[in-house]
């Protein structure tokens, strides 16, 4: 694990803490999720839900996940056999990859890649085959995708909406990924933690909702993103019973179970009305627009994200062509921190200047940040 000793997010948050800079690096909201959710968790603690919950997760939460998938995507999920509650999406990813891959198996991933994917694949002794998505539109190159598959491909690890690119994979892109996976007998593991953070005309298409794909897809999501409680670490996966049961076998020896009192609270939150879900997306769209306009005014080029709460910007017009260097100096230059994008690529040259900013922050914090970033303009 020596290449994975410190995550970029921990490093950048430490830099924000030590310098007092505004943290637009690590993606976490600066306001907590719905009050009813917080109250329900307190009530569960006071009500005595404090001992080991069942291994697959409390029944209410598994049922709520199944209902959510039916309500939003028309998917039929059996809460008994086809859902597993996990310690965040991070554990869902690790447990699935460890369950499905033997040493030497290949996993297709898309660069820029979320850091835990590479680490989980390394833990399994599997080999990553990368398809690069490139600035500014991060479109999928079908030939590069085809070339990444081989007879050893076991898993394709998709993330839509995509962190850090802000890309929402189109139905056509997902159909191509799905058909290549089927052709090669591979399982699609799809990380959809930003499923409700989608803007404008973009539509979140779950891989499991494509014809014929439910049988070979494991879908992952997390309360951390949808309900702005990243510190709770309640996530879940669902898919065909035999795959879920394999992931459950691994999960038993990673965490055994996870936090009991949070689970009934998340179960109730999943059934919040449509206004909660549409409000989440429209608030974030406003914040996206605020940050993108501010970054442009400060002299950055911006790739406007269709989903997630991240935006990638290019500081080259401001005379900075190395994102890693810029992120190290950003607290001193502007009192803000951001994350260099090249660390999410096998080939750092594919994204050398680029930096990622998070916009899941209060409007006043975003206003302050863009004003500070205005200091980067050469005099
Ligand atoms: N996948 C992606 C794409 C993420 O951005 C994150 C966290 N920000 C996770 C997984 C991890 O989610 P959790 O905190 O629920 O483990
Ligand atoms: N997923 C969050 C991000 O992209 C961070 C989570 C973490 O720190 N591991 O910023």
């Amino acid at each position: 694990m020596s290449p994975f000793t410190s995550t970029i997010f921990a490093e950048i948050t430490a830099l924000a803490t030590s310098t007092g800079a505004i943290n637009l690096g690590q993606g976490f909201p600066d306001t907590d999720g719905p009050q009813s959710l917080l109250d329900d968790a307190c009530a569960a603690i006071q009500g005595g839900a404090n001992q080991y919950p069942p291994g697959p997760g409390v029944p209410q939460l598994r049922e709520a996940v199944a209902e959510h998938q039916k309500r939003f995507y028309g998917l039929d999920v059996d809460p008994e056999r086809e859902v597993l509650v996990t310690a965040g999406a991070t554990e869902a990813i690790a447990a699935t990859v460890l369950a499905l891959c033997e040493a030497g198996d290949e996993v297709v991933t898309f660069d820029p890649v979320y850091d835990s994917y590479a680490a989980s694949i390394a833990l399994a002794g599997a080999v990553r085959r990368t398809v690069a998505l490139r600035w500014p539109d991060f479109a999928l190159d079908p030939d590069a995708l085809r070339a990444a598959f081989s007879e050893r491909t076991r898993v394709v690890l998709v993330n839509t909406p995509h962190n850090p690119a802000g890309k929402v994979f189109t139905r056509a892109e997902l159909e191509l990924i799905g058909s290549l996976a089927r052709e090669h007998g591979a399982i699609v593991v799809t990380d959809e933690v930003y499923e409700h953070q989608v803007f404008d005309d973009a539509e979140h298409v779950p891989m499991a909702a494509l014809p014929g794909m439910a049988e070979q897809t494991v879908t992952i999501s997390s309360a951390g993103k949808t309900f702005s409680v990243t510190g709770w670490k309640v996530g879940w996966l669902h898919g065909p019973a035999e795959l879920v049961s394999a992931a459950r076998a691994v999960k038993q020896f990673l965490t055994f179970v996870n936090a009991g009192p949070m689970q009934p609270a998340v179960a109730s939150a999943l059934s919040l009305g449509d206004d909660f879900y549409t409000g989440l997306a429209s608030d974030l769209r406003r914040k996206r627009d605020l940050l993108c306009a501010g970054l442009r005014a400060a002299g950055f080029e911006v790739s406007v994200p269709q989903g997630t709460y991240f935006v990638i910007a290019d500081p080259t017009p401001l005379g900075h062509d190395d994102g890693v260097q810029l992120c190290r100096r950003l607290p001193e230059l502007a009192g803000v921190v951001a994350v260099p994008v090249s660390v999410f690529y096998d080939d750092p040259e594919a994204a050398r200047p680029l930096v990622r900013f998070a916009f899941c922050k209060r409007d006043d914090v975003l206003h302050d940040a863009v004003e500070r970033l205005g200091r980067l303009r050469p005099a």
Side-chain angles (χ1 to χ4, degrees):
M1 288 303 280
S2 52
F4 300 101
T5 45
S6 168
T7 86
I8 186 68
F9 307 116
E11 266 173 46
I12 292 293
T13 287
L15 185 62
T17 309
S18 66
T19 58
I22 297 179
N23 190 354
L24 302 188
Q26 191 179 30
F28 62 90
D30 60 359
T31 45
D32 293 336
Q35 190 58 43
S36 61
L37 172 73
L38 310 181
D39 292 343
D40 286 348
C42 293
I45 290 174
Q46 297 296 352
N50 299 306
Q51 307 308 328
Y52 295 127
V58 302
Q60 303 100 292
L61 180 51
R62 282 182 279 134
E63 277 154 25
V65 167
E67 275 160 28
H68 172 279
Q69 295 304 86
K70 181 76 182 171
R71 167 180 169 193
F72 287 98
Y73 311 121
L75 292 172
D76 288 308
V77 176
D78 173 2
E80 278 291 312
R81 298 160 61 244
E82 296 180 340
V83 181
L84 176 68
V85 176
T86 55
T90 308
E91 190 195 32
I93 294 157
T96 309
V97 169
L98 287 166
L100 298 182
C101 296
E102 302 292 346
D105 283 347
E106 292 181 0
V107 180
V108 175
T109 61
F110 299 87
D111 270 4
V113 72
Y114 185 61
D115 66 344
S116 89
Y117 299 3
S120 294
I121 293 164
L123 280 171
V127 178
R128 196 155 52 88
R129 299 285 303 269
T130 290
V131 182
L133 307 171
R134 289 176 198 281
W135 163 277
D137 61 358
F138 301 100
L140 180 60
D141 173 351
D143 295 333
L145 179 66
R146 273 190 204 98
F149 279 82
S150 78
E151 71 283 358
R152 302 248 27 200
T153 308
R154 183 80 182 110
V155 165
V156 187
L157 193 32
V158 180
N159 172 213
T160 184
H162 184 282
N163 174 14
K167 169 188 174 68
V168 178
F169 280 73
T170 63
R171 188 176 292 274
E173 287 174 330
L174 293 168
E175 277 168 355
L176 180 60
I177 295 168
S179 74
L180 286 166
R182 292 224 305 241
E183 206 176 292
H184 290 82
I187 304 294
V188 180
V189 176
T190 170
D191 172 350
E192 302 182 0
V193 298
Y194 299 101
E195 60 188 310
H196 292 293
Q197 283 131 336
V198 172
F199 319 121
D200 309 327
D201 304 333
E203 183 201 0
H204 171 61
V205 179
M207 180 62 90
L210 295 181
M213 286 310 295
E215 299 87 73
Q216 65 194 87
T217 300
V218 175
T219 304
I220 292 171
S221 196
S222 171
K225 310 295 163 188
T226 300
F227 302 116
S228 302
V229 286
T230 58
W232 283 23
K233 300 301 292 187
V234 176
W236 51 85
L237 60 86
H238 76 81
E242 67 275 17
L243 301 184
V244 171
S245 125
R248 190 195 301 171
V250 176
K251 186 222 155 62
Q252 289 185 105
F253 302 108
L254 295 177
T255 53
F256 185 50
V257 294
N258 50 283
M262 308 315 191
Q263 297 187 41
V266 170
S268 306
L270 279 167
S271 63
L272 283 169
D274 290 346
D275 50 339
F276 166 76
Y277 289 96
T278 50
L280 175 72
S282 64
D283 272 1
L284 269 180
R285 192 192 51 222
R286 186 187 69 250
K287 292 175 189 298
R288 174 200 70 175
D289 292 346
L290 197 167
L291 184 59
C292 288
L295 286 169
R296 285 204 178 105
F300 288 85
E301 272 177 33
V302 170
S303 168
V304 177
Q306 300 164 299
T308 77
Y309 39 54
F310 303 109
V311 52
I312 294 183
D314 183 354
T316 310
L318 291 162
H320 296 279
D321 61 6
D322 183 326
V324 173
Q325 295 295 337
L326 178 61
C327 287
R328 269 195 203 122
R329 294 185 58 214
L330 208 52
E332 156 214 340
L333 295 174
V336 172
V337 301
V339 175
V341 176
S342 60
V343 302
F344 302 108
Y345 278 89
D346 275 354
D347 170 18
E349 287 307 312
R352 195 165 196 268
L354 305 179
V355 291
R356 187 197 80 173
F357 294 92
F359 52 83
C360 45
K361 305 294 173 184
R362 295 193 316 269
D363 289 8
D364 59 306
V365 172
L366 294 174
H367 280 295
D368 191 3
V370 294
E371 201 179 300
R372 291 175 182 211
L373 289 166
R375 294 180 206 156
L376 290 173
R377 263 196 196 288

